[in-house]
Amino acid sequence: MSDLAFDHAPVGLAVLERRVITRCNLQFAATFGGTPSDYAGMLVAELYPSQEDFNRIGALLQRPEAQTGSYSDERIMRRRSGALFWCRVRGRSVTPEAPFQTGIWSFADISEDRPVVSLTPREREVAILTCKGLSAKEIGKQLDLSYRTVESHRAHLLHKFGARKLPELVAKLSGMPL
């Protein structure tokens, strides 16, 4: 019965061991393209937009505040076709002391709620921290940038998302209706 629930869950599920997919369900395969057997043994890095994004998330999972064993975020992922899409990712490590040992992860396609806009890695970091409510000075401190540089990145984000003001940008980035 547990295989039935796993295989037919309405959200994409994958079991990862050392960041390699050992098993996934039908919805995961439908979301990323292909069949579950296409993903057995695949390094999950292949589903990230870049190696840099894969490394950045890996570094986040190793921070002390992430050692709870649970993680969630919304990020851009890549389908097997190469198309990029927004994805809500949630995971739980079976071994919190070694977060990459074994984990169960869910992946939900949220691209209908938000557009995929080409961002630089730094713009993506500024966008994420802006959505968390940090000021330009707080973001600058966290990313080791001047607040003026952060404001410049925000100006680029406003332009790319067609937003007039910061609250409108945050609404577009978070997928909230305007």
Side-chain angles (χ1 to χ4, degrees), residues 32 46-49 76-85:
F32 287 95
E46 294 181 39
L47 303 175
Y48 282 75
I76 295 192
M77 298 291 290
R78 185 168 38 116
R79 299 185 202 284
R80 288 185 67 206
S81 67
L84 300 177
F85 70 103

Side-chain angles (χ1 to χ4, degrees), residues 4-69:
L4 180 68
F6 179 87
D7 290 337
H8 296 280
V11 65
L13 297 174
V15 177
L16 275 67
E17 292 184 11
R18 293 180 183 87
R19 301 181 89 182
V20 173
I21 301 167
T22 60
R23 182 174 177 212
C24 70
N25 70 354
L26 294 165
Q27 185 59 51
F28 179 94
T31 298
F32 287 95
T35 65
S37 62
D38 295 329
Y39 294 93
M42 177 187 279
L43 184 63
V44 76
E46 294 181 39
L47 303 175
Y48 282 75
S50 69
Q51 187 66 41
E52 183 177 299
D53 288 315
F54 175 74
N55 293 340
R56 182 177 52 79
I57 295 294
L60 287 174
L61 289 170
Q62 294 184 32
R63 288 185 177 172
E65 61 269 21
Q67 298 302 308
T68 63

Side-chain angles (χ1 to χ4, degrees), residues 3-160:
D3 282 346
L4 180 68
F6 179 87
D7 290 337
H8 296 280
V11 65
L13 297 174
V15 177
L16 275 67
E17 292 184 11
R18 293 180 183 87
R19 301 181 89 182
V20 173
I21 301 167
T22 60
R23 182 174 177 212
C24 70
N25 70 354
L26 294 165
Q27 185 59 51
F28 179 94
T31 298
F32 287 95
T35 65
S37 62
D38 295 329
Y39 294 93
M42 177 187 279
L43 184 63
V44 76
E46 294 181 39
L47 303 175
Y48 282 75
S50 69
Q51 187 66 41
E52 183 177 299
D53 288 315
F54 175 74
N55 293 340
R56 182 177 52 79
I57 295 294
L60 287 174
L61 289 170
Q62 294 184 32
R63 288 185 177 172
E65 61 269 21
Q67 298 302 308
T68 63
S70 295
Y71 181 80
S72 69
D73 71 13
E74 293 178 355
R75 67 176 87 134
I76 295 192
M77 298 291 290
R78 185 168 38 116
R79 299 185 202 284
R80 288 185 67 206
S81 67
L84 300 177
F85 70 103
W86 273 99
C87 190
R88 179 174 295 117
V89 180
R90 293 187 172 127
R92 173 157 296 151
S93 177
V94 177
T95 53
E97 67 283 356
F100 299 134
Q101 182 70 32
T102 302
I104 311 301
W105 292 84
S106 71
F107 300 82
D109 183 344
I110 58 171
S111 57
E112 284 187 25
D113 297 331
R114 83 178 49 163
V116 174
V117 175
S118 180
L119 301 177
T120 67
R122 184 63 83 190
E123 287 171 339
R124 192 172 298 119
E125 288 176 320
V126 169
I128 289 167
L129 294 173
T130 296
C131 285
K132 289 183 177 182
L134 275 65
S135 70
K137 287 183 181 182
E138 291 168 325
I139 293 170
K141 188 173 187 177
Q142 189 164 334
L143 299 178
D144 196 29
L145 300 171
S146 76
Y147 81 92
R148 290 180 190 257
T149 301
V150 172
E151 289 295 342
S152 175
H153 287 301
R154 281 185 172 173
H156 291 139
L157 290 166
L158 287 166
H159 176 74
K160 287 183 175 185

